[in-house]
Amino acid sequence: MSSQKYASLRYTALRVALLVACFAVVYGLCYAHIVPLGVGSSNLVWMVLLALILSAPLSWVLLRKQRDAMSEQIVQRVDNAKARIAANAGQEDGA
């Protein structure tokens, strides 16, 4: 249970870390003039968008285990909430 306790937080933190790593790579590639810098003052926006585009498929592949753990955690919470709602509805009907 403790491994799933922070599954959502762990997945989110890893996703952000992967985005930051992709941004660092894009930043390096842009300033090494391997990737174009963008047009005018759009440099930062260009680098962020490129990092987002790169991090999305990487997170899909690299973070599969964490995503599955997070979805199990969410399903468990929804099931618990449904059980509480059903128990409360049963108490109201019985009263």
Side-chain angles (χ1 to χ4, degrees):
M1 175 70 179
S2 65
S3 66
Q4 280 193 355
K5 187 173 183 179
Y6 298 107
S8 296
L9 181 63
R10 185 180 311 115
Y11 175 75
T12 303
L14 289 171
R15 183 77 194 262
V16 169
L18 186 60
L19 176 63
V20 169
C22 285
F23 181 79
V25 169
V26 168
Y27 183 86
L29 291 174
C30 283
Y31 283 99
H33 298 291
I34 296 172
V35 175
L37 286 173
V39 177
S41 63
S42 69
N43 190 21
L44 182 63
V45 174
W46 163 252
M47 289 191 292
V48 169
L49 287 175
L50 193 53
L52 283 169
I53 290 169
L54 290 174
S55 70
L58 286 174
S59 69
W60 181 256
V61 173
L62 298 175
L63 301 178
R64 177 174 287 145
K65 183 174 122 179
Q66 289 81 11
R67 190 174 51 254
D68 290 343
M70 181 182 67
S71 70
E72 288 175 16
Q73 178 188 28
I74 292 170
V75 166
Q76 183 178 4
R77 286 184 180 177
V78 167
D79 289 343
N80 290 342
K82 285 180 182 178
R84 280 194 311 271
I85 290 171
N88 288 341
Q91 287 178 353
E92 289 176 0
D93 292 340

Coordinates of all heavy atoms in Angstrom, one line a residue:
M1 N 0.8 -1.2 0.0 CA 0.0 0.0 0.0 C 0.9 1.3 0.0 O 0.5 2.2 -0.6 CB -0.9 -0.1 1.2 CG -1.8 1.2 1.4 SD -3.0 1.3 0.1 CE -3.8 2.8 0.6
S2 N 2.0 1.2 0.7 CA 2.8 2.4 0.8 C 3.4 2.8 -0.5 O 3.7 4.0 -0.8 CB 3.9 2.3 1.9 OG 4.8 1.3 1.4
S3 N 3.6 1.8 -1.4 CA 4.2 2.1 -2.7 C 3.1 2.8 -3.6 O 3.5 3.6 -4.5 CB 4.7 0.8 -3.4 OG 3.6 0.0 -3.7
Q4 N 1.8 2.6 -3.3 CA 0.8 3.3 -4.1 C 0.3 4.5 -3.4 O -0.4 5.3 -4.0 CB -0.4 2.3 -4.3 CG -0.2 1.3 -5.4 CD -1.5 0.7 -5.7 OE1 -2.5 0.9 -5.1 NE2 -1.5 -0.1 -6.7
K5 N 0.8 4.8 -2.2 CA 0.2 5.9 -1.4 C 0.5 7.3 -2.1 O -0.3 8.1 -2.2 CB 0.8 5.9 0.0 CG 0.2 7.0 0.9 CD 0.7 6.9 2.3 CE 0.1 7.9 3.2 NZ 0.5 7.8 4.5
Y6 N 1.7 7.4 -2.7 CA 2.1 8.6 -3.4 C 2.3 8.4 -4.9 O 3.1 9.1 -5.5 CB 3.4 9.1 -2.8 CG 3.3 9.5 -1.3 CD1 3.8 8.7 -0.3 CD2 2.5 10.6 -0.9 CE1 3.7 9.0 1.0 CE2 2.4 10.9 0.4 CZ 3.0 10.1 1.4 OH 2.8 10.4 2.7
A7 N 1.5 7.5 -5.5 CA 1.7 7.2 -6.9 C 1.4 8.4 -7.8 O 2.2 8.7 -8.7 CB 0.8 6.0 -7.3
S8 N 0.4 9.2 -7.5 CA 0.1 10.4 -8.3 C 1.2 11.4 -8.2 O 1.6 12.0 -9.2 CB -1.3 11.0 -7.9 OG -2.3 10.1 -8.1
L9 N 1.6 11.6 -7.0 CA 2.7 12.6 -6.7 C 4.0 12.2 -7.4 O 4.7 13.0 -8.1 CB 2.9 12.8 -5.2 CG 4.0 13.8 -4.8 CD1 3.6 15.2 -5.3 CD2 4.2 13.8 -3.3
R10 N 4.3 10.9 -7.3 CA 5.5 10.4 -8.0 C 5.5 10.5 -9.5 O 6.4 11.0 -10.1 CB 5.7 8.9 -7.6 CG 7.0 8.3 -8.1 CD 7.2 6.8 -7.7 NE 7.0 6.6 -6.3 CZ 6.0 5.8 -5.8 NH1 5.2 5.2 -6.7 NH2 5.8 5.7 -4.6
Y11 N 4.3 10.2 -10.1 CA 4.2 10.3 -11.5 C 4.3 11.7 -12.0 O 5.0 12.0 -12.9 CB 2.8 9.7 -12.0 CG 2.6 9.9 -13.5 CD1 3.2 9.1 -14.4 CD2 1.7 10.8 -13.9 CE1 3.0 9.3 -15.7 CE2 1.5 11.0 -15.2 CZ 2.1 10.3 -16.2 OH 1.9 10.5 -17.5
T12 N 3.6 12.6 -11.2 CA 3.7 14.0 -11.6 C 5.1 14.6 -11.5 O 5.5 15.3 -12.4 CB 2.7 14.8 -10.7 OG1 1.4 14.3 -10.9 CG2 2.7 16.3 -11.1
A13 N 5.8 14.2 -10.4 CA 7.1 14.7 -10.2 C 8.1 14.2 -11.3 O 8.9 14.9 -11.9 CB 7.7 14.3 -8.9
L14 N 7.9 12.9 -11.7 CA 8.7 12.4 -12.8 C 8.4 13.0 -14.1 O 9.3 13.2 -14.9 CB 8.6 10.8 -12.8 CG 9.2 10.1 -11.7 CD1 8.8 8.6 -11.7 CD2 10.7 10.2 -11.7
R15 N 7.1 13.3 -14.3 CA 6.7 13.9 -15.6 C 7.3 15.3 -15.7 O 7.8 15.7 -16.8 CB 5.2 14.0 -15.6 CG 4.6 14.5 -16.9 CD 4.7 13.5 -18.0 NE 4.4 14.1 -19.3 CZ 3.3 14.1 -19.9 NH1 2.3 13.5 -19.4 NH2 3.1 14.7 -21.0
V16 N 7.3 16.1 -14.6 CA 7.9 17.4 -14.6 C 9.4 17.3 -14.8 O 10.0 18.1 -15.5 CB 7.5 18.2 -13.3 CG1 8.3 19.4 -13.1 CG2 6.0 18.5 -13.3
A17 N 10.0 16.4 -14.1 CA 11.5 16.2 -14.2 C 11.9 15.8 -15.7 O 12.9 16.3 -16.2 CB 12.0 15.1 -13.3
L18 N 11.1 15.0 -16.3 CA 11.3 14.7 -17.7 C 11.2 15.9 -18.6 O 12.0 16.1 -19.5 CB 10.4 13.5 -18.2 CG 10.6 12.9 -19.5 CD1 12.0 12.4 -19.6 CD2 9.6 11.9 -19.8
L19 N 10.2 16.7 -18.3 CA 10.0 17.9 -19.1 C 11.2 18.9 -18.9 O 11.7 19.5 -19.9 CB 8.7 18.6 -18.7 CG 8.4 20.0 -19.4 CD1 8.2 19.8 -20.9 CD2 7.2 20.6 -18.7
V20 N 11.6 19.0 -17.7 CA 12.8 19.9 -17.4 C 14.0 19.3 -18.1 O 14.8 20.1 -18.7 CB 13.0 20.0 -15.9 CG1 14.4 20.7 -15.6 CG2 11.9 20.8 -15.3
A21 N 14.2 18.0 -18.1 CA 15.4 17.4 -18.8 C 15.3 17.7 -20.3 O 16.3 18.0 -21.0 CB 15.4 15.9 -18.5
C22 N 14.1 17.5 -20.9 CA 13.9 17.8 -22.3 C 14.2 19.2 -22.6 O 14.8 19.6 -23.7 CB 12.5 17.3 -22.8 SG 12.3 15.6 -22.9
F23 N 13.7 20.1 -21.7 CA 14.0 21.5 -22.0 C 15.5 21.8 -21.9 O 16.0 22.6 -22.8 CB 13.2 22.4 -20.9 CG 13.5 23.9 -21.1 CD1 12.7 24.5 -22.1 CD2 14.4 24.6 -20.4 CE1 12.9 25.9 -22.3 CE2 14.6 25.9 -20.6 CZ 13.9 26.6 -21.5
A24 N 16.2 21.2 -21.0 CA 17.6 21.4 -21.0 C 18.3 20.9 -22.3 O 19.2 21.6 -22.8 CB 18.2 20.7 -19.8
V25 N 17.9 19.8 -22.8 CA 18.4 19.3 -24.0 C 18.1 20.2 -25.2 O 19.0 20.6 -26.0 CB 17.9 17.9 -24.3 CG1 18.2 17.4 -25.7 CG2 18.5 16.9 -23.3
V26 N 16.8 20.7 -25.3 CA 16.4 21.6 -26.3 C 17.2 22.9 -26.2 O 17.7 23.5 -27.2 CB 14.9 21.9 -26.3 CG1 14.5 23.0 -27.2 CG2 14.2 20.6 -26.7
Y27 N 17.4 23.4 -25.0 CA 18.1 24.6 -24.7 C 19.6 24.5 -25.3 O 20.1 25.4 -26.0 CB 18.1 24.9 -23.2 CG 18.8 26.2 -22.9 CD1 18.1 27.4 -22.9 CD2 20.2 26.2 -22.5 CE1 18.8 28.6 -22.5 CE2 20.8 27.4 -22.1 CZ 20.1 28.6 -22.2 OH 20.7 29.8 -21.8
G28 N 20.2 23.4 -24.9 CA 21.5 23.1 -25.4 C 21.6 23.0 -26.9 O 22.5 23.6 -27.6
L29 N 20.6 22.4 -27.5 CA 20.6 22.2 -29.0 C 20.4 23.6 -29.7 O 20.9 23.8 -30.7 CB 19.6 21.2 -29.4 CG 19.8 19.8 -29.1 CD1 18.6 18.9 -29.4 CD2 21.1 19.2 -29.8
C30 N 19.5 24.4 -29.1 CA 19.3 25.7 -29.7 C 20.5 26.6 -29.7 O 20.8 27.3 -30.6 CB 18.1 26.4 -29.0 SG 16.5 25.7 -29.4
Y31 N 21.2 26.6 -28.5 CA 22.3 27.5 -28.4 C 23.6 26.9 -29.0 O 24.5 27.7 -29.2 CB 22.5 28.0 -27.0 CG 21.5 29.0 -26.7 CD1 20.3 28.7 -26.0 CD2 21.6 30.3 -27.1 CE1 19.3 29.7 -25.8 CE2 20.7 31.3 -26.9 CZ 19.5 31.0 -26.2 OH 18.6 31.9 -26.0
A32 N 23.5 25.7 -29.4 CA 24.6 25.1 -30.2 C 24.3 25.3 -31.7 O 25.1 24.8 -32.6 CB 24.8 23.6 -29.9
H33 N 23.1 25.9 -32.0 CA 22.7 26.2 -33.4 C 22.4 24.9 -34.2 O 22.6 24.9 -35.4 CB 23.6 27.1 -34.1 CG 23.7 28.5 -33.4 ND1 22.6 29.3 -33.4 CD2 24.7 29.0 -32.7 CE1 23.0 30.4 -32.8 NE2 24.2 30.3 -32.3
I34 N 22.1 23.8 -33.5 CA 21.7 22.6 -34.1 C 20.2 22.6 -34.5 O 19.8 22.1 -35.5 CB 22.0 21.4 -33.2 CG1 23.6 21.3 -33.0 CG2 21.5 20.1 -33.8 CD1 24.0 20.3 -32.0
V35 N 19.4 23.3 -33.6 CA 18.0 23.5 -33.8 C 17.8 25.0 -33.9 O 18.4 25.7 -33.1 CB 17.2 22.9 -32.6 CG1 15.8 23.2 -32.7 CG2 17.4 21.4 -32.4
P36 N 17.0 25.4 -34.8 CA 16.7 26.9 -35.0 C 16.2 27.5 -33.7 O 15.4 26.9 -32.9 CB 15.7 27.0 -36.1 CG 15.5 25.6 -36.6 CD 16.2 24.6 -35.8
L37 N 16.5 28.7 -33.4 CA 16.2 29.4 -32.2 C 14.7 29.9 -32.2 O 14.2 30.2 -31.2 CB 17.1 30.6 -32.0 CG 18.5 30.3 -31.5 CD1 19.3 31.5 -31.4 CD2 18.4 29.6 -30.1
G38 N 14.1 30.0 -33.3 CA 12.8 30.6 -33.4 C 12.8 31.9 -34.1 O 13.8 32.3 -34.7
V39 N 11.7 32.6 -34.1 CA 11.6 33.9 -34.8 C 11.5 35.0 -33.8 O 10.5 35.0 -33.0 CB 10.4 33.9 -35.8 CG1 10.3 35.2 -36.5 CG2 10.6 32.8 -36.8
G40 N 12.3 36.0 -33.9 CA 12.2 37.2 -33.0 C 12.3 36.8 -31.5 O 13.2 36.2 -31.1
S41 N 11.3 37.2 -30.8 CA 11.3 37.0 -29.3 C 10.6 35.7 -28.9 O 10.3 35.5 -27.8 CB 10.7 38.2 -28.6 OG 9.3 38.3 -29.0
S42 N 10.3 34.8 -29.9 CA 9.6 33.6 -29.6 C 10.5 32.5 -29.1 O 10.1 31.3 -29.0 CB 8.8 33.1 -30.8 OG 9.7 32.7 -31.8
N43 N 11.7 32.8 -28.8 CA 12.7 31.8 -28.5 C 12.3 30.9 -27.3 O 12.3 29.7 -27.4 CB 14.1 32.5 -28.2 CG 15.2 31.5 -28.1 OD1 15.1 30.4 -28.6 ND2 16.2 31.9 -27.4
L44 N 11.9 31.5 -26.2 CA 11.5 30.7 -25.0 C 10.3 29.9 -25.3 O 10.2 28.7 -24.9 CB 11.3 31.6 -23.8 CG 10.9 30.9 -22.5 CD1 12.1 30.0 -22.1 CD2 10.6 31.9 -21.5
V45 N 9.3 30.4 -26.0 CA 8.1 29.7 -26.3 C 8.4 28.5 -27.2 O 7.9 27.4 -27.0 CB 7.0 30.6 -27.0 CG1 5.8 29.9 -27.4 CG2 6.6 31.7 -26.0
W46 N 9.2 28.8 -28.2 CA 9.6 27.7 -29.1 C 10.3 26.6 -28.3 O 10.0 25.4 -28.6 CB 10.6 28.3 -30.2 CG 11.4 27.3 -30.9 CD1 12.7 27.1 -30.8 CD2 10.9 26.4 -31.9 NE1 13.1 26.1 -31.6 CE2 12.1 25.6 -32.3 CE3 9.7 26.1 -32.5 CZ2 12.0 24.6 -33.3 CZ3 9.6 25.1 -33.4 CH2 10.7 24.4 -33.8
M47 N 11.2 26.9 -27.4 CA 11.9 25.8 -26.7 C 11.0 25.1 -25.7 O 11.1 23.9 -25.6 CB 13.1 26.5 -25.9 CG 14.2 26.9 -26.8 SD 15.7 27.3 -25.9 CE 15.2 28.8 -25.0
V48 N 10.1 25.8 -25.1 CA 9.1 25.1 -24.2 C 8.2 24.2 -25.0 O 8.0 23.0 -24.6 CB 8.3 26.1 -23.4 CG1 7.1 25.4 -22.7 CG2 9.1 26.8 -22.4
L49 N 7.7 24.6 -26.2 CA 6.8 23.8 -27.0 C 7.6 22.6 -27.5 O 7.1 21.4 -27.5 CB 6.3 24.6 -28.2 CG 5.2 25.6 -27.8 CD1 4.8 26.4 -29.1 CD2 4.0 24.9 -27.2
L50 N 8.8 22.8 -27.9 CA 9.6 21.6 -28.4 C 9.9 20.6 -27.3 O 9.8 19.4 -27.5 CB 10.9 22.1 -29.0 CG 11.8 21.1 -29.8 CD1 10.9 20.5 -30.9 CD2 12.9 21.9 -30.5
A51 N 10.2 21.1 -26.1 CA 10.4 20.3 -24.9 C 9.1 19.5 -24.6 O 9.2 18.3 -24.3 CB 10.8 21.1 -23.7
L52 N 7.9 20.1 -24.7 CA 6.7 19.4 -24.5 C 6.4 18.3 -25.5 O 6.0 17.2 -25.1 CB 5.5 20.4 -24.5 CG 5.3 21.3 -23.3 CD1 4.3 22.4 -23.6 CD2 4.8 20.4 -22.1
I53 N 6.7 18.6 -26.7 CA 6.5 17.7 -27.8 C 7.5 16.5 -27.6 O 7.1 15.3 -27.9 CB 6.7 18.3 -29.2 CG1 5.6 19.3 -29.5 CG2 6.9 17.3 -30.3 CD1 5.8 20.2 -30.7
L54 N 8.7 16.7 -27.2 CA 9.6 15.6 -26.9 C 9.3 14.8 -25.7 O 9.5 13.6 -25.7 CB 11.1 16.2 -26.8 CG 11.7 16.7 -28.1 CD1 13.0 17.3 -27.8 CD2 11.8 15.6 -29.1
S55 N 8.8 15.5 -24.6 CA 8.6 14.8 -23.4 C 7.4 13.9 -23.4 O 7.3 12.9 -22.6 CB 8.6 15.8 -22.2 OG 7.4 16.5 -22.3
A56 N 6.4 14.3 -24.2 CA 5.1 13.5 -24.2 C 5.3 12.0 -24.6 O 4.9 11.1 -23.8 CB 4.1 14.2 -25.1
P57 N 5.9 11.7 -25.8 CA 6.1 10.3 -26.1 C 7.1 9.6 -25.2 O 7.0 8.4 -24.9 CB 6.6 10.3 -27.5 CG 7.1 11.7 -27.8 CD 6.3 12.6 -26.9
L58 N 8.1 10.4 -24.7 CA 9.1 9.8 -23.8 C 8.4 9.4 -22.5 O 8.6 8.3 -21.9 CB 10.2 10.7 -23.5 CG 11.2 10.9 -24.6 CD1 12.2 12.0 -24.2 CD2 11.9 9.6 -24.9
S59 N 7.5 10.2 -21.9 CA 6.8 9.9 -20.7 C 5.9 8.7 -20.9 O 5.6 7.9 -20.0 CB 6.1 11.1 -20.1 OG 5.0 11.4 -21.0
W60 N 5.3 8.6 -22.1 CA 4.4 7.5 -22.4 C 5.1 6.2 -22.3 O 4.6 5.2 -21.8 CB 3.8 7.7 -23.8 CG 2.8 6.6 -24.2 CD1 3.0 5.6 -25.0 CD2 1.5 6.5 -23.7 NE1 1.9 4.8 -25.1 CE2 0.9 5.4 -24.3 CE3 0.7 7.2 -22.8 CZ2 -0.4 4.9 -24.1 CZ3 -0.6 6.8 -22.6 CH2 -1.1 5.7 -23.2
V61 N 6.3 6.2 -22.8 CA 7.1 4.9 -22.8 C 7.8 4.7 -21.4 O 7.7 3.7 -20.8 CB 8.1 4.9 -23.9 CG1 9.1 3.8 -23.8 CG2 7.4 5.0 -25.3
L62 N 8.5 5.8 -20.9 CA 9.4 5.6 -19.8 C 8.6 5.6 -18.4 O 9.1 5.0 -17.5 CB 10.4 6.8 -19.7 CG 11.4 6.8 -20.9 CD1 12.2 8.1 -20.8 CD2 12.2 5.6 -20.9
L63 N 7.4 6.2 -18.4 CA 6.7 6.2 -17.1 C 5.5 5.3 -17.1 O 4.5 5.6 -16.3 CB 6.3 7.7 -16.8 CG 7.5 8.7 -16.8 CD1 6.9 10.1 -16.5 CD2 8.4 8.3 -15.7
R64 N 5.5 4.3 -17.9 CA 4.3 3.4 -17.9 C 4.0 2.8 -16.6 O 2.9 2.7 -16.1 CB 4.6 2.3 -19.0 CG 3.4 1.3 -19.0 CD 3.6 0.3 -20.1 NE 3.3 1.0 -21.4 CZ 4.0 0.8 -22.5 NH1 4.9 -0.1 -22.6 NH2 3.7 1.5 -23.6
K65 N 5.0 2.3 -15.9 CA 4.8 1.7 -14.6 C 4.2 2.6 -13.5 O 3.3 2.3 -12.8 CB 6.2 1.1 -14.1 CG 6.1 0.4 -12.8 CD 7.5 -0.2 -12.4 CE 8.0 0.3 -11.1 NZ 9.3 -0.2 -10.7
Q66 N 4.7 3.9 -13.5 CA 4.2 4.9 -12.6 C 2.8 5.3 -13.0 O 2.0 5.5 -12.1 CB 5.1 6.1 -12.6 CG 6.5 5.9 -11.9 CD 7.5 5.2 -12.8 OE1 7.3 5.0 -14.0 NE2 8.6 4.7 -12.2
R67 N 2.5 5.4 -14.3 CA 1.2 5.7 -14.7 C 0.2 4.6 -14.3 O -1.0 4.9 -13.9 CB 1.2 5.9 -16.2 CG -0.1 6.5 -16.8 CD 0.0 6.9 -18.2 NE 0.5 5.8 -19.1 CZ 1.7 5.7 -19.6 NH1 2.5 6.7 -19.4 NH2 2.0 4.7 -20.4
D68 N 0.6 3.4 -14.5 CA -0.3 2.3 -14.1 C -0.6 2.3 -12.6 O -1.7 2.0 -12.1 CB 0.3 0.9 -14.5 CG 0.3 0.7 -16.0 OD1 -0.5 1.4 -16.7 OD2 1.0 -0.2 -16.5
A69 N 0.5 2.5 -11.8 CA 0.3 2.6 -10.3 C -0.6 3.8 -9.9 O -1.5 3.6 -9.1 CB 1.7 2.8 -9.6
M70 N -0.5 4.9 -10.6 CA -1.4 6.0 -10.4 C -2.8 5.7 -10.7 O -3.7 6.0 -10.0 CB -0.9 7.3 -11.2 CG -1.7 8.5 -10.9 SD -1.3 9.9 -11.9 CE -1.7 9.4 -13.5
S71 N -3.0 5.0 -11.8 CA -4.4 4.7 -12.2 C -5.0 3.7 -11.2 O -6.2 3.8 -10.9 CB -4.5 4.1 -13.6 OG -3.9 2.9 -13.7
E72 N -4.2 2.8 -10.7 CA -4.7 1.9 -9.7 C -5.1 2.6 -8.4 O -6.1 2.3 -7.8 CB -3.7 0.8 -9.4 CG -3.5 -0.2 -10.4 CD -2.3 -1.2 -10.1 OE1 -1.9 -1.3 -8.9 OE2 -1.9 -1.9 -11.0
Q73 N -4.3 3.6 -8.1 CA -4.6 4.4 -6.9 C -5.9 5.2 -7.1 O -6.7 5.2 -6.2 CB -3.5 5.4 -6.6 CG -3.7 6.3 -5.5 CD -2.6 7.4 -5.4 OE1 -2.1 7.8 -6.4 NE2 -2.4 7.9 -4.2
I74 N -6.1 5.7 -8.3 CA -7.3 6.5 -8.6 C -8.5 5.6 -8.6 O -9.6 5.9 -8.0 CB -7.2 7.3 -9.9 CG1 -6.1 8.4 -9.7 CG2 -8.5 7.8 -10.4 CD1 -5.7 9.0 -11.0
V75 N -8.4 4.4 -9.2 CA -9.5 3.5 -9.2 C -9.9 3.1 -7.8 O -11.1 3.0 -7.4 CB -9.2 2.2 -10.1 CG1 -10.2 1.1 -9.8 CG2 -9.1 2.6 -11.5
Q76 N -8.9 2.8 -6.9 CA -9.1 2.4 -5.6 C -9.9 3.6 -4.8 O -10.8 3.3 -4.1 CB -7.8 2.1 -4.9 CG -8.0 1.6 -3.4 CD -6.7 1.2 -2.8 OE1 -5.6 1.4 -3.4 NE2 -6.7 0.8 -1.6
R77 N -9.4 4.8 -5.0 CA -10.1 5.9 -4.3 C -11.6 6.1 -4.8 O -12.4 6.4 -4.0 CB -9.3 7.2 -4.6 CG -8.1 7.3 -3.8 CD -7.4 8.6 -4.0 NE -6.2 8.7 -3.2 CZ -5.3 9.7 -3.3 NH1 -5.6 10.8 -4.0 NH2 -4.3 9.7 -2.5
V78 N -11.8 5.9 -6.1 CA -13.1 6.0 -6.6 C -14.0 4.9 -6.1 O -15.2 5.2 -5.7 CB -13.1 6.0 -8.2 CG1 -14.5 5.8 -8.7 CG2 -12.5 7.3 -8.7
D79 N -13.5 3.7 -6.0 CA -14.2 2.6 -5.4 C -14.6 2.8 -4.0 O -15.7 2.5 -3.5 CB -13.5 1.3 -5.6 CG -13.4 0.8 -7.0 OD1 -14.2 1.3 -7.9 OD2 -12.6 -0.1 -7.3
N80 N -13.6 3.4 -3.2 CA -13.9 3.7 -1.8 C -14.9 4.8 -1.7 O -15.8 4.7 -0.8 CB -12.6 4.1 -1.1 CG -11.6 3.0 -0.9 OD1 -11.9 1.8 -1.0 ND2 -10.3 3.3 -0.7
A81 N -14.9 5.8 -2.5 CA -15.9 6.8 -2.5 C -17.3 6.3 -2.8 O -18.3 6.6 -2.2 CB -15.5 8.0 -3.4
K82 N -17.3 5.4 -3.8 CA -18.6 4.8 -4.2 C -19.2 4.0 -3.0 O -20.4 4.0 -2.7 CB -18.5 3.9 -5.4 CG -18.4 4.7 -6.7 CD -18.2 3.7 -7.9 CE -18.1 4.4 -9.2 NZ -17.9 3.5 -10.3
A83 N -18.3 3.2 -2.3 CA -18.7 2.4 -1.2 C -19.2 3.3 -0.1 O -20.3 3.0 0.6 CB -17.6 1.6 -0.7
R84 N -18.6 4.4 0.2 CA -19.0 5.4 1.2 C -20.4 6.0 0.9 O -21.3 6.1 1.7 CB -18.0 6.5 1.5 CG -16.8 6.1 2.3 CD -16.0 7.3 2.8 NE -15.7 8.2 1.7 CZ -14.6 8.1 1.0 NH1 -13.7 7.2 1.2 NH2 -14.3 9.0 0.1
I85 N -20.5 6.3 -0.4 CA -21.8 6.9 -0.8 C -22.9 5.9 -0.7 O -24.0 6.2 -0.2 CB -21.7 7.4 -2.3 CG1 -20.8 8.7 -2.3 CG2 -23.1 7.8 -2.9 CD1 -20.4 9.1 -3.7
A86 N -22.6 4.7 -1.1 CA -23.7 3.6 -1.0 C -24.0 3.3 0.5 O -25.2 3.1 0.8 CB -23.2 2.3 -1.6
A87 N -23.0 3.4 1.4 CA -23.2 3.1 2.8 C -24.1 4.3 3.4 O -25.0 4.1 4.2 CB -21.9 3.0 3.6
N88 N -23.8 5.5 3.0 CA -24.5 6.7 3.5 C -26.0 6.6 2.9 O -26.9 7.0 3.7 CB -23.9 8.0 3.0 CG -22.6 8.3 3.8 OD1 -22.4 7.7 4.9 ND2 -21.8 9.1 3.3
A89 N -26.1 6.2 1.7 CA -27.5 6.1 1.1 C -28.3 5.0 1.9 O -29.5 5.2 2.1 CB -27.4 5.8 -0.4
G90 N -27.6 3.9 2.2 CA -28.3 2.9 3.0 C -28.7 3.3 4.4 O -29.8 2.9 4.8
Q91 N -27.9 4.1 5.0 CA -28.2 4.7 6.3 C -29.4 5.6 6.2 O -30.3 5.6 7.1 CB -27.0 5.4 6.9 CG -25.9 4.5 7.4 CD -24.8 5.2 8.0 OE1 -24.7 6.5 7.9 NE2 -23.8 4.5 8.5
E92 N -29.5 6.4 5.2 CA -30.6 7.4 5.0 C -31.9 6.6 4.7 O -32.9 7.0 5.2 CB -30.3 8.3 3.9 CG -29.2 9.3 4.2 CD -28.8 10.2 3.1 OE1 -29.4 10.1 2.0 OE2 -27.9 11.1 3.2
D93 N -31.8 5.6 3.9 CA -33.0 4.8 3.6 C -33.5 4.1 4.8 O -34.7 3.9 5.0 CB -32.7 3.8 2.5 CG -32.4 4.5 1.2 OD1 -32.8 5.6 1.0 OD2 -31.8 3.8 0.3
G94 N -32.6 3.6 5.7 CA -33.0 2.9 6.9 C -33.5 3.7 8.0 O -34.2 3.3 8.9
A95 N -33.2 5.0 7.9 CA -33.6 5.9 9.0 C -35.0 6.4 8.9 O -36.0 6.3 8.7 CB -32.7 7.2 9.0

